[in-house]
Amino acid sequence: HFTKGNSIPQDQPSLMHSPPLSPQLLNSLIPEENTRCQHGLYFQDGERRVDYVLTYHIKKPSSSRSNRHSYCFTDNAFTRTLRRGTARLGRPPPPQPRGDLEVAPHDHSMDYHEDDKRFRREEFEGNLTDMGLELEKDEDTKTPGVGFVKIHAPWHVLCREAEFMKLKMPTKKVYEVKQSSGVGAKISTLVSKATEPLHPNVEENRVHNVKHLSYAFSREKQHLLLGNGVYTAAYPLHDVSRNLSMHSCLLYEEWASYSVFYKYQPIGLVRKYFGEKIGLYFAWLGLYTQMLIPASLVGVIVFLYGCATVDDNIPSMEICHPKNNITMCPLCDKACSYWKLMEACGTARASHLFDNPATVFFSIFMALWAAMFMEHWKRRQMRLNYEWDLTGFEEEEVSDHPRAEYEFRVMQKSLKKEHKTQKVPVHCSWLFSQPLDVAGLVFHIIQLLLISFIGVTFAIVFGVILYRISTNAALHLSNNPTTRSNVRLTVKTTAAIINLVVILILDEVYGAVARWLTVLEVPKTDKSFEERLIFKTFILKFVNAFTPIIYIAFFRGRLVGRPGSYLYVFESYRMEECAHGGCLMELCIQLSITMLGKQLIQNNLFEIGIPKLKKLIRYIKSKRRSFQEEEREKKLQRYETDHFLEPFAGLTPEYMEMIIQFGFVTLFVASFPLAPLFALLNNIIEIRLDAKKFVAELRRPVAARAKDIGIWYNLLRGVAKVAVIINAFVISFTSDFIPRLVYQYMYSPDGSMHGFVDHTLSYFNVSDFQHGKEPMEPLHLGYPVDMCRYKDYREPPWSNTPYVISKEFWAVLAARLAFVIVFQNVVMLMSDIVDWLIPDIPKDISLQIHKEKILMVELFMKEEQGKRQFIDSMTPGGGKENSNKHAPIARSRSIPHTHSHTHANNF
Amino acid sequence: HFTKGNSIPQDQPSLMHSPPLSPQLLNSLIPEENTRCQHGLYFQDGERRVDYVLTYHIKKPSSSRSNRHSYCFTDNAFTRTLRRGTARLGRPPPPQPRGDLEVAPHDHSMDYHEDDKRFRREEFEGNLTDMGLELEKDEDTKTPGVGFVKIHAPWHVLCREAEFMKLKMPTKKVYEVKQSSGVGAKISTLVSKATEPLHPNVEENRVHNVKHLSYAFSREKQHLLLGNGVYTAAYPLHDVSRNLSMHSCLLYEEWASYSVFYKYQPIGLVRKYFGEKIGLYFAWLGLYTQMLIPASLVGVIVFLYGCATVDDNIPSMEICHPKNNITMCPLCDKACSYWKLMEACGTARASHLFDNPATVFFSIFMALWAAMFMEHWKRRQMRLNYEWDLTGFEEEEVSDHPRAEYEFRVMQKSLKKEHKTQKVPVHCSWLFSQPLDVAGLVFHIIQLLLISFIGVTFAIVFGVILYRISTNAALHLSNNPTTRSNVRLTVKTTAAIINLVVILILDEVYGAVARWLTVLEVPKTDKSFEERLIFKTFILKFVNAFTPIIYIAFFRGRLVGRPGSYLYVFESYRMEECAHGGCLMELCIQLSITMLGKQLIQNNLFEIGIPKLKKLIRYIKSKRRSFQEEEREKKLQRYETDHFLEPFAGLTPEYMEMIIQFGFVTLFVASFPLAPLFALLNNIIEIRLDAKKFVAELRRPVAARAKDIGIWYNLLRGVAKVAVIINAFVISFTSDFIPRLVYQYMYSPDGSMHGFVDHTLSYFNVSDFQHGKEPMEPLHLGYPVDMCRYKDYREPPWSNTPYVISKEFWAVLAARLAFVIVFQNVVMLMSDIVDWLIPDIPKDISLQIHKEKILMVELFMKEEQGKRQFIDSMTPGGGKENSNKHAPIARSRSIPHTHSHTHANNF
């Protein structure tokens, strides 16, 4: 008694006394069925739409059927039954066909006989039919060896599931969204006019002052239809390609195209086509990119300020001035000789670009920027929740269900127990909440493994450092100056490349490692699996990306000793030192190489190249099997062409890429103000690249609901927090900002920076060189040297305690530490204030939510009055009896899906 | 067609096919009506219960009636209409009768004539009757001059409002709460057996494994019935006193009694009687007190450790040892003389009690304790939300409504505008969302006022300091040693008392100031009014309580100069110095005086004394009016006796008291490990004191729903955050912990603490005294002094730069600062980890919520199946027609209030 297809279901009980429905509105409720009988988009009857496809391997047909229906739990939502049912047959669960589980279930999938698989499929499909779904099998396709099961979910099934999911749906009630009057309104009109070319050419983005009140249930719910069973793939279909479906077409033109890079994304469309989860990702990416614009602008200004003031910078002037002909001590024992400070002129001038007061301002700015970004995202998320009618929706339903692997493990355990007690009770209902005994042990092992993998990163970084040190040492044995400079260049270049390559390789390795570790843990639910996986991947990749950078920022050039008693590791390898301009310059170079290298190679090359390659391989594979069928290929059904696309592997890699980039943008921004600009340029491409990938390169992902971006938000917050303290340390320890300040206010005779360079250089008496450590070429500079200088705060040779750390050192150290405390606490306080001042819910949204509540109450109140009048007009006894009897029926079915208002919007 | 009183309403449509209701369950739904016709608890008919009482002054009766029904907004929830309606009559709104608004509307209340008041009352009461409420007037009471309006809310009104509030109610579905098996269960059984005497003797706290599934609406909703109008008071009645009502009686015996101080509170009962908001307060207070137990235990252990190790403490041994007869420099110019270090022996030994490595551990412990407390509270709150069926309930409804004062202000503004344009349109619907132009200006003024009041605190603290300094100066002019020691004692005592008195007085003043400032701001909603008020009060009271303490901890004894060139303020007042043991001892004394004084005087004396006094005054006042009516007084109706009770002034003072105490417990815990113990002792009394007050001293507060403790949670978090940094500074700057460490690891010849005292003392050559600054009695000690010592890190007289700050100073400073950074970040990280490791929702609760969802789906699924079978069995056309027609009716009325299960629980 439910009509299907594109006729309007008229026998549904309606809450409102409804005039005929406007077709536009219906479109947003029923899956679009006005384009009829597409190639493979519909069942053979051309009426019922294919909502979901399952594929499997065909080998030899057989027909024995087993009837082991051992379900002891009447779970009516069929998907739940399915997902559980298969796991409870007393056997290991079948492998999950989803793309993000490629590592785990390999060992099980070989356990099945063809027959057994077939039984399972039949049983599974029987269940599907029981739940009200309609199936169509297609084993005789042009793709040999692959069978397809097409699934159609009829309207009543959708309604039922929608009710359980408490989906909201528009009611007939329509109200005006209030426009503020006065100057504010005029400005906003002006702004919206000015930004009109930036908006995508999509209807929904037009300003419309009308919004439907939404209340209670109903919309598509494909994503609950998560396949499980002996199938090789499970996916919904792409909305038949470019030229037919409006959605897909618009997405192509207005979203997945580089030519619209300057426009906002049509997020509403994206969400309609891919579901809320992916919609939120693109909304987040869009906001992040948008927020990068002011950041990169300020960054460029800071950089330009550095460029403009480089000639006014007294310390670098003093270094470069030929009159201050300071003789420096040799930088290593024996092999090195004295040198002139003027040689460091270039690096000193370059350092100023990144080491000036503006960078301090910029790192404070970026910390606040990060706080603003988080706040804005909260607001945007809230707005999207409101627009997508997700307010009140509580996540859980799907993701809180125990994973098949977990159930399998529990099963194994309980089977063992049964074996012991010789009883075989059916552990069914609440078994899964029992704690695993081995869990604790496994967890500890995993922690150890995680730490050991971080250790591997450290080891590799240390290896690269050793490489540099040892080649440097080798270099110093040679006497030929040209060889030296060549070798030095070679070493620096190769070391940087090795670092980058190591990072790129380890990134891939760590992705696999994190997955492996998480699979070992056997988390209970899909959600906890995902969260643990993300957390592990994040830790490993973050450590991988930032260890070399942290080494340069905070460890390199410290504890090097002093001329005459340089510190050595392993007897002959001297600790690395930075060039005279300080480590900031090297930090900056390392940062830009890592960031650009990662973005260019990993993000763009890998993301474009590898999916294309995989698609090609997949295509060639199937081609090899079916030799001369090229012509038929062209006429492939939609569900077949989609089969050749890469499966959707989750949003984790996309988010991970962005969060690492966020790290580059915030963590060391004090030393590299151009980072936001590079990130911005990358992201403008990234958005369209991802869009293209989702529309054309991947199988259409199962739409998933989500209210927020989940654990990613917490990770972003974590990165932003760490950024504050790291920037504080970079400014106070890596840059020369604090020593300059201390000199200016404590030691400078005239309050200027004149004499700063001299102040930072300690004296060394050449006669204090121990035997064997004096330079081999003492006359390298052309004159004999009595006293040389080196960069450190140490007592001069003529004091009572020569070469011990001087009072200035401690004073500067105290100032540096004080700066860290002040910076950290001030910035944290300011972030908290930003957090507190910007309300999480935009004012207009909270106002509208409030208004909607009042309207809803009003609507129901009117209805109740009408009802009471109705009762009063009837005979009291009979009317009440009747309404009592039908109450429960009407209650669960009287879902309003009726509309009297003809809405101009097509979506 | 709704039966009233204690008969069961049988004509309600029921969702379930329900067997007769069990009376126990009904008790939890309908207000208890089995004790019949209490004195004043019921209307004259003895059937209808008095749910709410309004009182007003009677003078001269008159009977003209105005019909100005100018409402243009059909708001069906009558309370909303009332609250708005009165504000929209084109006149200033009547004063709010609520106790927490005593400052604001004084100026309006005189504008009304008696007649006008009477009209308003009549109109208001007419509206109440229209909304379905039933009224009974009583002007002929034994309390002359006071008229009473008793209000009864019939069952159908309660149902309707409950539906709008989306109250949850129990369904007939009952399920077993799973008991975990195995060792865990045994332990928990043991624990619950062991703690049984700790539980209050109340049924509901018995372990019961059965819980009712709750779904959708209905319960009492008195708190929406917020009175507004020309009334002098508005309150619900106390549930007729001690001996009759079960609730009240149990509350008396098992809660509001000092004899049960060791038991848990019967929170469920408290919530049933007073509403969720007050229930949450007591739950929070209970958890806080409970959490204080481990804290005070560890605190006492730390203190005992200090006591036990005081004799092993090398620095104090060195000070006290008669052999180390170090001559110290005079502590002031001229008047003071040389002294022996041995004199400081006592304070040095006492300081060790609070300044030992254990306190460092303790302050880390307390930071984590605070984090644990916040986490536990989140969990407890979640559990209570679940038990009280508040999950899914969204606060807002009540508190988001514009306040009368705000509407009045908007009204005035729009009237002015109308006056200008000579048009008088009725601004009704969305007027209130318009921004006030003057708001910005007022806001700034208020900020300034707030800051200036903080300035007052500083000024007063500074005044007290000046008092001490000046009396000290006067003291030094006298030569008599006995006068001196007497004066010193007097000064210290009076200063401490003055400080305490100032704090106590300013506390009261600031309470009023904060209210005044908030009233000036005219916040839009009650909620924002409350939040702003709390925030301001918090800021002012916090500054008030902690300014003297912060002065002692971080400013006193710094920048005092050195012998021979002490620093002076205002020429003759020398900066204060701490005793030789360091400022920690003085900080500790100040802390304990302030904390104990505040708790004893303010909390207990004020809280017990003042309400009793007020009650007495109120009683005497009414007695004076009605001379010979003492006998009648004894037979007062319940609503009359309640009228003599103090009105409920909100929970703000209670929370505020506790949060200031939380500040004492966490902020300076490094210097006073006994603070948690004192807090614990206070709170054990406080809980019962508050309980007594709520049950017997105050009018029964209007029950209010709340999901959480609101802004208080954020304030607690803020205090806990500030505590980390303050403790870091106390340990590193106020205590001698860091200097000792630095000495031990950098300067000590043998790695022990021997020689530490000598190391901290600098040398001063007596001949370097400037003229007029040398001591008047140089031979005070009996021998001439050449070289004296003073506590500072300065160069000795024989160095090249005598008396300048030495290298040791900078090294110690750097170590102190480094400690602050390490401490702060480590503790913050650990707090974050605690935050992250402890899930916000207890596992069993999230499991049960999940389970309930499944059961609910199952229930409805079964019903739907039943329904479909029913439809199938009927003639398709007629059945559907019927169900369609009645759907909306049944939908909004089919509130399940039916139960088939006989629940053993009486509540």
Side-chain angles (χ1 to χ4, degrees), chain A residues 66-295:
Chain A
S66 82
N67 274 313
R68 265 178 296 157
H69 281 275
S70 68
Y71 310 152
C72 63
F73 187 75
T74 328
D75 190 355
N76 286 286
F78 79 94
T79 44
R80 295 198 197 93
T81 317
L82 295 175
R83 299 176 81 217
R84 288 183 188 168
T86 44
R88 269 183 222 124
L89 289 169
R91 301 193 171 216
Q96 295 253 2
R98 291 161 62 204
D100 57 332
L101 275 172
E102 288 170 320
V103 183
H106 260 310
D107 41 344
H108 308 318
S109 59
M110 290 296 106
D111 301 352
Y112 293 107
H113 291 286
E114 260 324 289
D115 268 3
D116 196 38
K117 281 189 187 171
R118 211 185 139 75
F119 299 154
R120 278 166 186 284
R121 273 204 299 277
E122 275 167 17
E123 192 177 326
F124 182 80
E125 284 154 18
N127 284 332
L128 289 183
T129 324
D130 285 352
M131 296 326 293
L133 294 178
E134 289 154 18
L135 309 184
E136 191 177 70
K137 279 204 169 191
D138 191 356
E139 297 199 351
D140 185 29
T141 56
K142 289 130 203 160
T143 326
V146 181
F148 293 90
V149 179
K150 292 170 278 180
I151 304 177
H152 170 66
W155 178 252
H156 72 274
V157 172
L158 293 181
C159 282
R160 189 187 60 207
E161 294 296 325
E163 193 175 7
F164 289 136
M165 292 176 64
K166 292 188 181 154
L167 285 181
K168 291 192 177 183
M169 74 170 302
T171 64
K172 67 164 183 181
K173 185 80 183 177
V174 159
Y175 71 96
E176 287 271 320
V177 176
K178 199 193 132 250
Q179 288 293 86
S180 59
S181 59
V183 188
K186 273 175 199 159
I187 290 172
S188 74
T189 321
L190 261 172
V191 168
S192 69
K193 258 192 190 161
T195 58
E196 205 171 88
L198 297 183
H199 284 284
N201 210 354
V202 171
E203 280 287 330
E204 63 165 349
N205 277 74
R206 295 277 150 75
V207 188
H208 49 95
N209 290 350
V210 154
K211 191 180 177 303
H212 287 270
L213 259 183
S214 296
Y215 187 73
F217 346 122
S218 193
R219 200 163 302 138
E220 281 188 75
K221 54 120 255 166
Q222 299 164 325
H223 62 280
L224 259 184
L225 305 174
L226 224 171
N228 183 350
V230 202
Y231 296 99
T232 51
Y235 51 90
L237 290 183
H238 270 296
D239 223 358
V240 119
S241 66
R242 293 104 241 191
N243 38 6
L244 290 164
S245 157
M246 206 159 39
H247 274 181
S248 206
C249 178
L250 268 174
L251 280 178
Y252 254 88
E253 283 177 9
E254 295 294 332
W255 186 51
S257 158
Y258 292 115
S259 60
V260 290
F261 74 93
Y262 58 91
K263 286 185 181 178
Y264 291 108
Q265 298 172 81
I267 289 297
L269 267 190
V270 173
R271 170 250 183 176
K272 276 213 177 106
Y273 193 77
F274 290 112
E276 280 84 0
K277 208 168 178 183
I278 291 172
L280 274 176
Y281 165 68
F282 281 103
W284 177 82
L285 187 56
L287 182 74
Y288 173 50
T289 308
Q290 214 176 309
M291 290 290 289
L292 277 175
I293 296 172

Side-chain angles (χ1 to χ4, degrees), chain B residues 464 467-468 471 485-501 589-590 593:
Chain B
V464 174
Y467 166 76
R468 273 202 303 257
T471 42
S485 67
N486 279 344
V487 172
R488 187 172 285 154
L489 195 72
T490 324
V491 167
K492 285 213 167 173
T493 324
T494 47
I497 291 171
I498 289 175
N499 249 339
L500 183 62
V501 169
I589 291 168
Q590 179 76 40
I593 288 176

Side-chain angles (χ1 to χ4, degrees), chain B residues 35-197:
Chain B
T35 54
R36 187 173 286 258
C37 196
Q38 295 310 327
H39 218 60
L41 261 188
Y42 290 85
F43 278 13
Q44 301 294 353
D45 59 6
E47 288 259 313
R48 288 170 296 168
R49 191 193 165 83
V50 178
D51 288 321
Y52 206 73
V53 174
L54 300 170
T55 70
Y56 53 91
H57 280 295
I58 313 169
K59 275 187 184 159
K60 35 178 185 186
S62 86
S63 61
S64 59
R65 193 170 175 354
S66 83
N67 274 313
R68 265 177 296 156
H69 282 276
S70 68
Y71 310 152
C72 65
F73 186 75
T74 328
D75 191 354
N76 286 285
F78 80 93
T79 45
R80 293 198 197 94
T81 315
L82 295 175
R83 299 177 81 215
R84 286 182 188 170
T86 43
R88 269 183 221 125
L89 289 168
R91 301 191 171 217
Q96 294 252 2
R98 290 161 59 204
D100 58 331
L101 273 173
E102 288 170 321
V103 183
H106 262 309
D107 41 344
H108 307 318
S109 60
M110 291 297 105
D111 302 351
Y112 293 105
H113 291 286
E114 259 325 289
D115 268 4
D116 195 38
K117 281 190 188 171
R118 211 184 140 74
F119 298 156
R120 278 166 187 284
R121 273 205 299 276
E122 274 168 17
E123 191 177 327
F124 181 80
E125 284 155 17
N127 284 332
L128 290 184
T129 324
D130 285 352
M131 295 325 295
L133 294 178
E134 289 155 18
L135 309 184
E136 191 177 69
K137 278 204 168 192
D138 191 356
E139 297 199 352
D140 184 29
T141 55
K142 287 130 205 160
T143 326
V146 180
F148 292 90
V149 179
K150 291 170 280 180
I151 303 176
H152 169 67
W155 177 252
H156 71 275
V157 173
L158 294 182
C159 282
R160 187 187 61 205
E161 295 296 324
E163 193 174 7
F164 288 136
M165 292 174 63
K166 293 191 180 152
L167 285 182
K168 290 193 178 182
M169 75 171 301
T171 63
K172 66 163 183 181
K173 183 79 184 178
V174 160
Y175 70 95
E176 287 269 322
V177 175
K178 198 195 132 248
Q179 288 295 88
S180 60
S181 58
V183 187
K186 274 174 198 158
I187 290 172
S188 75
T189 321
L190 261 174
V191 168
S192 69
K193 259 191 189 160
T195 58
E196 206 171 88

